[in-house]
Amino acid sequence: MSRYLLRRLAIALPSLLGISLVLFTVLALAPGDPFGDLASNPNVPPEVAAALRAKFGLDDPVWSRYLHWLVAMLHGDWGFSFVSRVNVDQLILQRLPVTLLVIGSSQILALLVALPVGVYAATRPYSIFDQIANTLAFIGFSLPTFFTGILFILVFSIYLDWLPFVFRTDLAATGWRWYWEESRQAIMPITVLGLFQGASWTRFVRSAVLDVIRLDYVTTARAKGIAERVVITKHVVRNALIPVVTLVALSMPTVFGGAIITEQIFRVPGIGSLLISSILANDTPVIMAVTFVFACLVILFNLIADLLYGFLDPRISYR
């Protein structure tokens, strides 16, 4: 497996290089730049504005700026934020843990909902439980996260006053009280993302289990007198999870996109909200770094999915 992992990492490097080239070119050719307001500001002398643009190479050719960015990034220099006045890597390291916490927790919640509900509905097709689960699943993935986020705020924050609707980073509590307050303010964004993904995955799990449960080897296992619980958990679910793993890996771009909207609704200080604020301020170094981090995370999750295939299906070998 180590050789397979090294080969996949070697393949991922050209992919990341191509993604970075496309992202940098699109951002460089987009209208506007971080120092565009300096030209119309009478308080800034023209020579100062020209010196700043020359210092950061904003008037250089695109290929020259990209090579400079690539070399600097390989040396650990991700650039400088023109708005926050700090290094880009510091901004990302400050906000990335919050985003990973929200997204990771929401995906765990989605799996905890989708797997048992989808499997149970597939083992009892067209039953009352199956019909209710299908209806709720259709409603769940039909409603966008910004709608359910606002609905959660109205119900649990405005009417019931149970949960805070703004994610705060300056909590005054300490000890266990701090962990409790941190958990309370993370409940709604995690639930919004988790239920949205869980509703979509429930339908897919149900369909995958239905395809496997009708195969001949399942019938043979039942004919041998193996308990139904063992047949479902060992023979059906394990094989049905292979396409589910593919779906989870391919859903990562959508998850990160939904996290950006959810972070804006609940004011979560993650890299999604950092990306939106940087786009509004034309802070291109931060935009480039955040989108590149998203691309790295997507490739990482696809690699994890490929490694899980061999665990779920022994017939798959790492070559």
Side-chain angles (χ1 to χ4, degrees), residues 1 212 215 217 234-243 245-246 304-319:
M1 189 176 71
V212 174
L215 297 179
Y217 78 91
K234 185 177 180 180
H235 298 282
V236 175
V237 174
R238 185 168 181 175
N239 289 311
L241 283 180
I242 296 176
V245 170
T246 305
I304 294 174
D306 290 341
L307 295 178
L308 286 176
Y309 290 153
F311 172 75
L312 295 172
D313 191 348
R315 296 172 299 178
I316 299 177
S317 60
Y318 300 111
R319 296 181 179 176

Side-chain angles (χ1 to χ4, degrees), residues 114-181:
L115 288 179
V117 174
V119 171
Y120 192 81
T123 56
R124 292 160 178 80
Y126 311 110
S127 63
I128 299 297
F129 180 86
D130 184 31
Q131 295 178 16
I132 295 176
N134 284 329
T135 303
L136 294 178
F138 276 120
I139 296 175
F141 68 75
S142 298
L143 298 177
T145 54
F146 66 84
F147 176 82
T148 53
I150 296 175
L151 184 63
F152 271 51
I153 291 175
L154 289 175
V155 175
F156 297 104
S157 296
I158 304 301
Y159 294 139
L160 299 177
D161 195 22
W162 287 355
L163 302 171
F165 63 88
V166 175
F167 199 104
R168 297 176 53 191
T169 57
D170 55 346
L171 295 175
T174 57
W176 288 105
R177 182 69 180 177
W178 182 88
Y179 288 103
W180 169 247
E181 294 296 333

Side-chain angles (χ1 to χ4, degrees), residues 81-102:
S81 173
F82 301 127
V83 176
S84 302
R85 303 293 191 269
V86 296
N87 292 330
V88 175
D89 55 350
Q90 295 181 7
L91 281 176
I92 293 178
L93 289 177
Q94 290 172 2
R95 298 186 176 231
L96 184 60
V98 179
T99 297
L100 292 180
L101 172 65
V102 173

